């Protein structure tokens, strides 16, 4: 989840419209969603489902103890992604000893609120347990470890998770393979193996590759395009490509987003925007919030423009629990709801994009 780096110009007319929205409309409280069905506005997920998409939000386990936050999550969205509870350090803290408590808690919450679950993530260079990173493994040993981990985790959640980020952040910015533990020991074939093992463990789950800084056409997204094309030609089960979409106002909008989504769709895979947030240098002001709203609307519109863009997930929906301030000091205000769970202009821009489509 590193900082994206992109450049483009914001359309002045859209920016002006969003500024007018910010200055001219009252902020709608989150509590509005609690009104009787015949009086309440459609949720973001309900609007998205009219177009055959979903609209979701990630959640981490501690956030479920925030009753107001958890309640709004369960009412506004159609899917959720565990922020950390299904990563390797959480699910296999000791070799061969599995702990599904964190992931199970989120799955139980999701079922109680009629949300579907995206699994995140089976294979990543980060947040690995110490026993794995400190070991010295032969290729045969590491392949057996990886196969067992993927098999056990996917089987445990079979029928409970509709899609998996199987391999996460496996490319460098220049389009070369990331020199992670698995690549160094097993070579690039570990990616196809991981996808095959996941398919064997749950034939119905959609299997994704997922990364950041791939929203625009460039070296990194080109590398994924080439990889997915080759995997498909080899009969490897890859069903989707996840564009994280951690955007930042200071780096510019990915101007060829819709074009990039379309070219992956043309390979015969689904595309999902899996970790959307749009941060800014603090403090936030009317102009920055209007620009952010414009971007949220444009991202939503880009997904709606491509039939195989199946859904959007924001990486947490409120600034109250955002990962941004602790990771990027001096930045934040990245999400469509503020710290008090009130709508920001970004929320209205998403609604407008979903309604206009």
């Amino acid at each position: 989840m590193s900082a994206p780096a992109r450049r483009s110009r914001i359309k002045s007319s859209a920016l002006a419209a969003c500024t007018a929205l910010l200055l001219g409309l009252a902020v709608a409280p989150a509590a509005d969603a609690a009104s009787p069905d015949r009086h309440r506005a459609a949720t973001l997920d309900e609007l998205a489902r009219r177009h055959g998409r979903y609209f979701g939000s990630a959640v981490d386990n501690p956030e479920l103890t925030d009753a107001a936050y958890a309640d709004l999550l369960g009412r506004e969205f159609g899917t959720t992604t565990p922020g950390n509870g299904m990563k390797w350090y959480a699910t296999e803290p000791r070799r061969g000893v599995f702990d599904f408590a964190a992931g199970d808690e989120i799955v139980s919450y999701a079922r109680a609120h009629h949300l579907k679950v995206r699994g995140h993530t089976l294979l990543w260079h980060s947040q690995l347990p110490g026993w794995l990173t400190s070991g010295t493994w032969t290729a045969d040993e590491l392949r057996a470890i990886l196969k067992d981990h993927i098999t056990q985790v996917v089987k445990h959640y079979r029928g409970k998770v509709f899609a998996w980020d199987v391999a996460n952040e496996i490319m460098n910015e220049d389009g070369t393979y990331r020199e992670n533990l698995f690549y160094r020991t097993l070579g690039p074939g570990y990616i196809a193996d991981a996808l095959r093992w996941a398919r064997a463990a749950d034939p119905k789950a959609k299997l994704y590759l997922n990364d950041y800084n791939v929203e625009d056409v460039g070296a990194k997204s080109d590398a994924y395009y080439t990889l997915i094309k080759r995997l498909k030609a080899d009969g490897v089960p890859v069903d989707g490509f996840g564009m994280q979409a951690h955007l930042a106002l200071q780096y510019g909008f990915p101007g060829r987003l819709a074009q990039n989504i379309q070219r992956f769709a043309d390979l015969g895979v689904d595309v999902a925007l899996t970790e959307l947030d749009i941060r800014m240098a603090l403090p936030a002001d009317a102009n920055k919030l209007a620009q952010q709203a414009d971007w949220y609307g444009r991202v939503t519109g880009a997904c709606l423009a491509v039939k195989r863009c199946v859904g959007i997930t924001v990486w947490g929906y409120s600034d109250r629990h955002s990962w941004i301030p602790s990771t990027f000091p001096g930045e934040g205000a990245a999400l469509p709801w503020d710290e008090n769970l009130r709508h920001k202009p970004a929320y209205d821009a998403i609604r407008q994009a979903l309604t206009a489509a």
Side-chain angles (χ1 to χ4, degrees):
M1 292 186 275
S2 298
R6 310 173 180 86
R7 294 183 177 89
S8 71
R9 292 184 178 272
I10 305 303
K11 295 180 181 177
S12 59
S13 60
L15 183 59
C18 291
T19 303
L21 179 65
L22 172 68
L23 298 177
L25 297 180
V27 174
D32 287 353
S35 59
D37 285 356
R38 65 182 180 275
H39 298 303
R40 71 168 178 82
T43 67
L44 295 186
D45 187 66
E46 287 168 345
L47 291 174
R49 282 193 280 116
R50 293 175 186 176
H51 306 286
R53 274 74 167 180
Y54 63 78
F55 209 100
S57 173
V59 70
D60 207 1
N61 294 79
E63 297 158 13
L64 296 179
T65 64
D66 182 340
Y69 185 89
D71 181 62
L72 180 55
L73 173 71
R75 287 186 283 113
E76 187 74 34
F77 300 96
T79 68
T80 192
T81 303
N84 289 292
M86 291 183 180
K87 292 175 180 174
W88 198 319
Y89 83 99
T91 54
E92 194 180 0
R94 290 181 290 156
R95 184 178 181 181
V97 178
F98 290 86
D99 183 352
F100 297 113
D104 286 353
E105 181 183 28
I106 291 176
V107 168
S108 294
Y109 164 86
R111 283 191 162 185
H113 291 82
H114 309 290
L115 307 181
K116 294 182 179 180
V117 178
R118 290 192 84 257
H120 178 78
T121 174
L122 297 173
L123 174 60
W124 190 30
H125 66 274
S126 186
Q127 291 183 265
L128 296 171
W131 68 263
L132 181 59
T133 56
S134 63
T136 301
W137 312 106
T138 66
D140 287 344
E141 288 171 335
L142 187 58
R143 184 173 286 105
I145 288 170
L146 182 57
K147 180 179 181 180
D148 184 60
H149 178 80
I150 290 174
T151 300
Q152 295 300 324
V153 174
V154 176
K155 279 188 173 181
H156 179 82
Y157 290 110
R158 184 165 52 198
K160 303 174 184 178
V161 166
F162 76 92
W164 278 102
D165 292 329
V166 176
N168 193 50
E169 300 176 7
I170 57 174
M171 295 291 182
N172 295 314
E173 296 304 302
D174 63 0
T176 59
Y177 285 104
R178 186 186 289 273
E179 292 276 345
N180 60 33
L181 168 65
F182 308 101
Y183 181 84
R184 290 194 303 270
T185 309
L186 302 175
Y190 79 93
I191 300 162
D193 285 340
L195 290 162
R196 290 187 178 106
W197 295 329
R199 175 53 46 84
D202 185 353
K204 293 184 179 180
K206 296 286 188 178
L207 307 180
Y208 279 70
L209 305 180
N210 188 59
D211 214 325
Y212 62 89
N213 277 7
V214 293
E215 295 75 35
D216 216 335
V217 176
K220 195 173 189 180
S221 61
D222 286 349
Y224 275 103
Y225 181 88
T226 300
L227 173 60
I228 291 173
K229 186 176 183 179
R230 185 169 64 248
L231 291 171
K232 295 282 287 183
D234 292 342
V236 178
V238 55
D239 303 307
F241 183 46
M243 300 178 178
Q244 291 182 12
H246 293 296
L247 307 182
L249 297 184
Q250 61 268 35
Y251 297 124
F253 188 82
R256 292 175 290 180
L257 175 59
Q259 174 188 339
N260 198 32
I261 294 172
Q262 184 65 65
R263 70 166 177 160
F264 280 94
D266 290 342
L267 289 177
V269 297
D270 293 338
V271 179
L273 300 168
T274 56
E275 304 182 19
L276 175 63
D277 47 34
I278 303 174
R279 66 187 188 274
M280 63 186 69
L282 299 175
D285 59 31
N287 287 333
K288 292 175 188 176
L289 291 172
Q291 183 179 349
Q292 179 192 60
D294 175 66
W295 286 26
Y296 267 107
R298 291 168 69 184
V299 169
T300 303
C303 182
L304 293 175
V306 181
K307 185 175 182 180
R308 293 200 70 157
C309 185
V310 295
I312 298 172
T313 300
V314 286
W315 203 245
Y317 69 87
S318 163
D319 297 332
R320 180 184 291 192
H321 295 298
S322 174
W323 68 289
I324 296 292
S326 62
T327 306
F328 302 100
E331 300 179 44
L335 294 158
W337 280 258
D338 69 13
E339 294 89 342
N340 297 313
L341 305 185
R342 291 181 177 271
H343 302 159
K344 293 158 62 177
Y347 171 88
D348 299 293
I350 295 168
R351 289 191 66 88
Q352 184 176 8
L354 292 170
T355 301

